[in-house]
Amino acid sequence: MATDDIEPPRLAREDVLVVPDDRFSTDTVAIVTGAASGIGRATALALAHNGLTVCATDVDEDGLTETERRHADLDLDGRIATTPGDLTDDAVLEAIVEAASEEGSIRYLANIAGIQHVAPMEEFPVEKYDLMHRLMLRAPLVLSKLCLPHMREAGGGAVANMCSIHGHYVTRDKVAYNVAKFGLRGLTQSIAAEGDGDVRAFSLSTAYVKTPLVVNQIADTAENRGITEREVVEDVMLGEARVTELMDPVEVANVFAFGLSKHGRFLDGGDLLFDGGYTLTY
């Protein structure tokens, strides 16, 4: 099994979990970062199909256009409004929230954007660490800070953070990713502590998902560990799991939709392990 054997699946309308919630309407806005591909795109489409107006953002403008096209082609409900931007720029973060506020009442924020770099710690470029920190930890903090007043004004809301099994235990050669995911769990708990029950926060920790981020790291992991790409998939990515297949992005998106809804009202400060038995069994 090589990289070419793993392709991110195409979401279908019937794949999306539709959750009944009076707040899920086009007057209500959910900001979704990383919405140009992978889990971010699936979450943007799923939340829109649940009736929300989604402010989809990503640095990849062409990818955002494709997300809009997929929404139209699948004839999904709700709306998608795209706001391209670099999440490492504070002025852009402010512009994203301002644009979202013009679409309706901001109640939801899904921090999903992420990148990966695979290298031993002694060789890990500090500038790459700084980039990943700003994108995957600092940007979620700043966006949460900017969205909190809007959520309180709207009568409540929720922040969902895309974590990982790497926020529970780490693998080698991914120091920046590991640190960011552990940090996101701390951010989640901090938001919950200050949300007073009106603004909730939760994180979602998955194992390996069929996304471009995962597919693109197979070759680098194989090189760094001196193993084959097949061994990376079968031994590293799936070797500790009980459900021995890679997850589809929409399966993650559906959990986000449930968690953000009224049915997740007691999900506050916690982390959902959605990992096929990867972390807690051996």
Side-chain angles (χ1 to χ4, degrees), residues 147-160:
C147 287
L148 276 169
H150 292 277
M151 293 177 178
R152 296 191 196 279
E153 183 180 353
V159 178

Side-chain angles (χ1 to χ4, degrees), residues 13 34 46 55 66 69 77 81 83 85 107-108 116 146 150 157 161 211 216 229 241 248 263 269 279:
R13 182 185 176 96
C55 179
E66 179 60 24
R69 184 178 297 116
D77 296 334
T83 305
R107 285 190 183 270
Y108 308 112
Q116 182 62 279
L146 294 171
H150 292 277
N161 292 318
T211 66
N216 292 339
E229 292 186 10
D248 288 352
H263 303 286
T279 307

Side-chain angles (χ1 to χ4, degrees), residues 166-187:
H166 295 87
H168 291 263
Y169 70 100
V170 306
T171 57
R172 55 183 287 183
D173 303 330
K174 297 180 182 178
V175 61
Y177 195 85
N178 295 333
V179 170
K181 294 306 185 182
F182 268 86
L184 275 176
R185 293 184 62 196
L187 172 62

Side-chain angles (χ1 to χ4, degrees), residues 91-200:
V92 171
L93 298 179
E94 293 175 3
I96 289 169
V97 175
E98 178 62 28
S101 70
E102 295 174 358
E103 299 291 342
S105 299
I106 300 174
R107 285 190 183 270
Y108 308 112
L109 167 64
N111 291 305
I112 298 176
I115 56 175
Q116 182 62 279
H117 186 81
V118 179
M121 194 180 303
E122 297 97 325
E123 301 170 12
F124 206 96
V126 174
E127 62 275 13
K128 181 66 71 172
Y129 174 89
D130 290 341
L131 172 62
M132 294 176 71
H133 175 88
R134 290 188 68 90
L135 174 64
M136 297 170 63
L137 191 52
R138 190 178 186 280
L141 167 61
V142 175
L143 284 172
S144 298
K145 176 182 177 180
L146 294 171
C147 287
L148 276 169
H150 292 277
M151 293 177 178
R152 296 191 196 279
E153 183 180 353
V159 178
N161 292 318
M162 186 68 227
C163 199
S164 167
I165 56 172
H166 295 87
H168 291 263
Y169 70 100
V170 306
T171 57
R172 55 183 287 183
D173 303 330
K174 297 180 182 178
V175 61
Y177 195 85
N178 295 333
V179 170
K181 294 306 185 182
F182 268 86
L184 275 176
R185 293 184 62 196
L187 172 62
T188 299
Q189 294 171 8
S190 296
I191 296 168
E194 298 186 26
D196 296 325
D198 295 321
V199 177
R200 296 185 295 110

Side-chain angles (χ1 to χ4, degrees), residues 195-217:
D196 296 325
D198 295 321
V199 177
R200 296 185 295 110
F202 67 93
S203 55
L204 175 56
S205 290
T206 67
Y208 294 91
V209 184
K210 283 183 276 189
T211 66
L213 183 146
V214 167
V215 173
N216 292 339
Q217 67 183 270

